[in-house]
Amino acid sequence: MVVYLVDASPKMFTPATNKEDEKDETHFHTIVNCITQSLKTQIIGRSYDEVAICFFNTKEKNNLQDLAGVYVYNVGDRDPLDRPTAKLIKDFSCIEDSFMSNIGSRYGITAGSRENTLYNALWVAQALLRKGSVKTVSKRILIFTNEDDPFGAITGAVKTDMIRTTIQRAKDAQDLGLSIELLPLSRPDEEFNMSRFYADLIGLDGDEITEYLPSAGEKLEEMTDQLRKRMMKKRRVKTLSFAITDDVCIEVNTYALTRPTTPGTITWLDSLSNIPLKTERSFICNDTGSLLQDPQMRFQMYNDMVVKFSVRELSEVKRVSSHHLRLLGFKPLDCLKDYHNLRPSTFIYPSDEHIFGSTRVFVALHSSMLRLGRFALAFYGNPTRPQLVALVAQEEVTSSAGQVESPGMHMIYLPYSDDIRYPEEVHVTSDDAPRATDEQIKKASNLLKRIDLKNFSVCQFANPALQRHYGILEALALGEDEMPDIKDETLPDEQGLSRPGVVKAIDEFKASVYGENYDQEEAEAAAAKASHGDAAKKRKAITGAASVKSAAYDWAELADNGKLKDMTVIELKSYLTAHGLPLFGKKEALISRILTHLGK
C-alpha cells in the first residue's frame, strides 16, 4: 500500500528548468506524469497493490479528518486507498487542466498561522494506511516536493514547535511500520537541501544525507520509465517431504529462481457488469437428470466384468513413491551434462517448521556432496508425471557487501530418453574440410573484439512481443486512439555497426575470406540475374499476347477444312508461340507443325 503525498504549493507550478531550448514543464507536471506512468506499470506488475493520491497545501480540503490544506483525490465509487483503475489513471493524467479551478493551490505554512499542512498530510496518510497488518503488507508514504524548508516563513518558538510535532508525527508513523520516503525536486536556482528539515523527518544522518539526493533522482527516473513487466514475489513455491532413507525423512522448501514471463491469463467477465465470472462444474446423472453429490467412480472392463475404482484408489494405484522427493543414490558431477537441464531449475532449502532436525540432516548431506564432488539422483513428481531429478549442492558465496549466493541445492529436472536427440555425425577427412588461414583467423578475432558487447546480460533486453501486448491492453483500457511507441531492443544496432572501426574490421574480414573483388562479382551476378529476369518477363509477355491472338481462331476447324494455307505466317506463328513450338522454317513447315500438334 502506498500513499502519494504531492505538494501543491505555488512553487511546484514554476518551470523545472531555466533553459530556453527546453519546454517550460513545471515540477507539478513532472510529478503527475511520474505517478501516471507508475500506476500504468503497477496494474501489470503488481496488480494487487493499493494506492492513494493526496495533495497538500491546497485551498480546498477533502479528507475524513476534515483537516485544512489536504485534498485526497479519488474518482467514482473507488475507495480512497484501493487498487488503481483505468478511470483513475485517465482522469488523473488530465488533472492539470482543472486543478486550479477545482482544488486550488496555496502557500503552506505561513507566518501568523497555526495550520501545519505537512503535519495534516502525514496524519491523513497514516489514517489511509490504517487497514491491513504490517506483517503481511508493505506500507509506504511517498512525499513529492521542491520546498526543502516548509517552515521557512515563520520564526521563533512557533517554528520550533511545528518542526518538533511534525517530526514526532513522522516517527509515530514509522513506529507503526510505515515507511516514509522523499522524492525531492531541485529548483533551477538552488539545489534541494536535505539538511534543513527532511533529513530529520525521514531519519537520515551523516553520509546518508549526501548520498540520498542522487539515489532519489534515479528512483524518480525509474518511476517514469518503468518497464511493463510482472513482478514475482520472492516466496516459497511448495513444501516437500524429502525421503533420505525409509526411516529418515526431512522437510524442504522449494523456490523458483527463474521463470518465463507470459501474458496474463484470460479472465471471463459478465457482458453487462464487467464483473469476473466464477466457473463451477457439476455432474448430472444421464438417466435421472439429478445432480450427483457423491465422489465419482471409475471402472475398467476385465474379463467381461466391470471393476469399479474410486478416485482415491486410482491415485494409490498410480503412486510410485509415498514422498514427494526420494533419494535414489549418488553420481559424480561429471556425469551431469549441460544438455540435461531442460527447464529452469528449482532451489531447495531445509525447513524445521513441521519436522524438527531437517536442517541438521540437510547440512550433513550438503557438506558431504560438496566434499566428495557428487550430485544426488532422486525421484520427484506426482502420480501423473513421475520424473528423475538431480540435486546439485551449491556452496555459500559471500563478499564484503554480504551474501552473494546462499547455500542449498539446485533441483535439475532430468530428461526422458526420448527428450534427447542424437543427430547423425558426418565424418569429414582433413583433406575435405576447409581450414582458415592465420590471416583470416586474425581478421575474425579483430572483428569479434570490435563488436563484442561489454558486460552483456539478457536482462538488458525487453521482450518486444510482451511490451506490445501490454501496450495494446493499456491503449484499450484508457481509450487511447494511438498505440504507445514500443522500442524493439532486439534489432541490430545499426548506429553502432556503422562506426568507422567496425566497418573497417568487417571489410578486412570479408576481403580475407572472399577476396578483394567479392563486391564487384556479387554486383555482376546480381545484374546478370536481373537481366535474366527481365528477359523471362519479356518472353512471358510475348507468350501472353500470342495466346490472346491465337484464341480468336478455331484451329481444329481450319485444319479440317484445309484453310491453314490461306492464313498469314504471322497468324500461324501466334499459335506456335502460344503453345511453345519452334518458329523456324517456311510456311509449309509451320502448317505441318501445327497439324502434328493438333493430331491431324
Side-chain angles (χ1 to χ4, degrees):
M1 298 178 181
V2 59
V3 176
Y4 296 110
L5 280 185
V6 182
D7 188 359
S9 64
K11 289 184 179 180
M12 287 289 290
F13 293 89
T14 57
T17 178
N18 53 10
K19 296 180 180 179
E20 297 180 355
D21 56 341
E22 295 185 7
K23 294 182 180 178
D24 293 336
E25 292 185 352
T26 62
H27 283 136
F28 189 82
H29 173 82
T30 303
I31 296 306
V32 169
N33 182 53
C34 171
I35 295 177
T36 301
Q37 296 301 325
S38 180
L39 293 179
K40 288 180 181 179
T41 54
Q42 189 174 351
I43 288 181
I44 296 171
R46 302 176 301 275
S47 58
Y48 291 98
D49 287 4
E50 297 182 3
V51 300
I53 302 173
C54 182
F55 298 103
F56 64 99
N57 294 330
T58 60
K59 289 182 179 179
E60 302 294 332
K61 59 181 179 179
N62 180 29
N63 55 84
L64 294 176
Q65 292 75 20
D66 199 31
L67 298 174
V70 181
Y71 192 97
V72 178
Y73 181 80
N74 200 13
V75 293
D77 298 331
R78 178 183 174 272
D79 293 333
L81 180 69
D82 204 348
R83 295 165 64 178
T85 61
K87 182 172 177 55
L88 174 69
I89 296 173
K90 193 171 183 179
D91 291 357
F92 181 74
S93 62
C94 306
I95 195 173
E96 289 180 88
D97 300 335
S98 59
F99 184 84
M100 287 300 180
S101 57
N102 295 339
I103 301 175
S105 171
R106 74 167 193 180
Y107 287 101
I109 306 164
T110 57
S113 174
R114 299 294 296 180
E115 288 183 359
N116 188 341
T117 52
L118 181 57
Y119 179 92
N120 294 345
L122 291 174
W123 191 357
V124 171
Q126 181 179 331
L128 288 171
L129 295 171
R130 188 174 297 161
K131 67 175 182 178
S133 172
V134 293
K135 295 181 179 179
T136 57
V137 179
S138 172
K139 301 182 179 183
R140 295 191 301 155
I141 300 174
L142 265 63
I143 305 174
F144 300 87
T145 181
N146 62 353
E147 178 57 78
D148 53 9
D149 188 8
F151 303 95
I154 57 177
T155 57
V158 177
K159 177 177 182 179
T160 305
D161 183 61
M162 282 192 174
I163 291 176
R164 181 186 59 80
T165 55
T166 306
I167 292 177
Q168 186 60 44
R169 168 57 62 186
K171 288 182 178 179
D172 292 343
Q174 291 170 338
D175 292 340
L176 293 174
L178 276 62
S179 171
I180 300 179
E181 301 177 29
L182 174 71
L183 291 177
L185 298 103
S186 297
R187 295 196 295 269
D189 51 347
E190 60 177 313
E191 188 173 341
F192 197 94
N193 189 352
M194 292 288 299
S195 303
R196 287 181 178 174
F197 170 72
Y198 280 102
D200 296 330
L201 181 77
I202 61 179
L204 300 179
D205 55 359
D207 295 337
E208 294 177 344
I209 299 176
T210 57
E211 295 174 359
Y212 188 84
L213 205 60
S215 63
E218 293 176 1
K219 189 181 297 184
L220 195 64
E221 291 181 3
E222 289 176 1
M223 288 182 64
T224 308
D225 302 324
Q226 287 185 82
L227 191 66
R228 298 183 185 91
K229 62 180 180 180
R230 295 178 62 192
M231 305 297 293
M232 303 297 182
K233 292 185 177 180
K234 296 180 181 179
R235 59 188 178 190
R236 66 185 181 188
V237 177
K238 190 183 295 184
T239 300
L240 305 177
S241 59
F242 184 13
I244 308 297
T245 65
D246 292 336
D247 301 325
V248 179
C249 180
I250 65 175
E251 181 184 21
V252 294
N253 291 330
T254 61
Y255 301 87
L257 302 182
T258 306
R259 67 186 75 180
T261 304
T262 56
T265 57
I266 296 175
T267 302
W268 296 99
L269 304 176
D270 184 80
S271 58
L272 299 177
S273 62
N274 266 2
I275 298 176
L277 299 177
K278 182 181 178 181
T279 304
E280 294 182 355
R281 184 176 65 173
S282 302
F283 291 96
I284 299 176
C285 179
N286 194 32
D287 297 330
T288 63
S290 60
L291 192 66
L292 300 178
Q293 302 291 344
D294 298 332
Q296 301 300 302
M297 300 292 292
R298 305 291 189 270
F299 69 91
Q300 175 66 39
M301 297 298 297
Y302 181 76
N303 277 349
D304 296 332
M305 295 177 60
V306 176
V307 182
K308 294 183 178 180
F309 294 94
S310 66
V311 177
R312 183 175 180 180
E313 288 173 338
L314 276 178
S315 63
E316 290 295 330
V317 169
K318 296 179 180 180
R319 187 182 299 277
V320 181
S321 173
S322 57
H323 300 279
H324 302 110
L325 192 62
R326 173 174 287 276
L327 180 65
L328 301 179
F330 302 91
K331 280 193 172 187
L333 283 172
D334 55 4
C335 294
L336 190 64
K337 306 301 180 183
D338 293 340
Y339 55 83
H340 287 160
N341 191 14
L342 293 182
R343 59 191 179 99
S345 63
T346 302
F347 191 75
I348 63 175
Y349 197 80
S351 171
D352 288 337
E353 186 175 351
H354 295 100
I355 303 178
F356 183 75
S358 297
T359 303
R360 183 176 297 181
V361 176
F362 188 89
V363 169
L365 182 65
H366 177 269
S367 58
S368 299
M369 290 168 61
L370 286 174
R371 186 178 71 255
L372 300 175
R374 298 286 192 272
F375 74 89
L377 187 67
F379 166 82
Y380 169 76
N382 50 44
T384 59
R385 184 175 172 80
Q387 194 167 11
L388 292 179
V389 294
L391 304 179
V392 181
Q394 174 178 279
E395 195 171 3
E396 184 180 19
V397 178
T398 59
S399 65
S400 58
Q403 189 183 68
V404 179
E405 293 182 355
S406 60
M409 294 185 189
H410 288 279
M411 184 165 65
I412 299 174
Y413 302 91
L414 298 177
Y416 292 91
S417 59
D418 55 356
D419 286 335
I420 302 177
R421 297 181 180 180
Y422 298 94
E424 298 178 359
E425 296 183 0
V426 179
H427 298 281
V428 182
T429 61
S430 58
D431 297 334
D432 298 335
R435 299 289 177 180
T437 63
D438 294 339
E439 181 67 18
Q440 292 172 344
I441 295 174
K442 181 180 178 181
K443 299 299 183 184
S445 301
N446 184 39
L447 175 60
L448 291 178
K449 291 178 182 177
R450 287 286 185 179
I451 62 176
D452 182 38
L453 298 176
K454 305 298 181 183
N455 302 321
F456 171 76
S457 172
V458 293
C459 301
Q460 297 172 350
F461 302 96
N463 186 335
L466 276 179
Q467 297 303 305
R468 178 171 175 78
H469 169 76
Y470 290 139
I472 292 174
L473 288 182
E474 178 184 307
L476 289 175
L478 299 178
E480 297 176 350
D481 297 331
E482 297 183 1
M483 267 284 299
D485 187 21
I486 306 299
K487 182 181 179 182
D488 190 351
E489 297 173 335
T490 62
L491 296 176
D493 182 12
E494 297 182 1
Q495 184 177 359
L497 292 175
S498 61
R499 298 197 305 268
V502 177
V503 173
K504 182 181 178 182
I506 293 175
D507 292 338
E508 290 179 351
F509 171 73
K510 188 166 64 173
S512 65
V513 175
Y514 299 104
E516 295 288 346
N517 300 325
Y518 177 74
D519 290 338
Q520 183 178 354
E521 294 172 358
E522 281 286 302
E524 292 175 356
K529 185 177 181 180
S531 62
H532 178 72
D534 294 341
K537 290 180 180 178
K538 188 175 180 180
R539 286 195 301 270
K540 187 176 180 180
I542 294 174
T543 303
S547 300
V548 173
K549 189 175 182 179
S550 172
Y553 301 98
D554 187 353
W555 295 95
E557 183 180 352
L558 292 174
D560 292 339
N561 297 331
K563 294 183 178 180
L564 290 178
K565 60 179 187 273
D566 297 333
M567 302 187 70
T568 63
V569 173
I570 296 176
E571 292 172 340
L572 295 174
K573 285 186 176 181
S574 68
Y575 177 90
L576 297 173
T577 303
H579 293 85
L581 300 175
L583 303 177
F584 60 87
K586 295 183 178 180
K587 187 174 182 179
E588 290 76 8
L590 301 180
I591 294 173
S592 175
R593 200 170 294 136
I594 292 173
L595 292 174
T596 303
H597 186 263
L598 292 173
K600 302 296 182 181

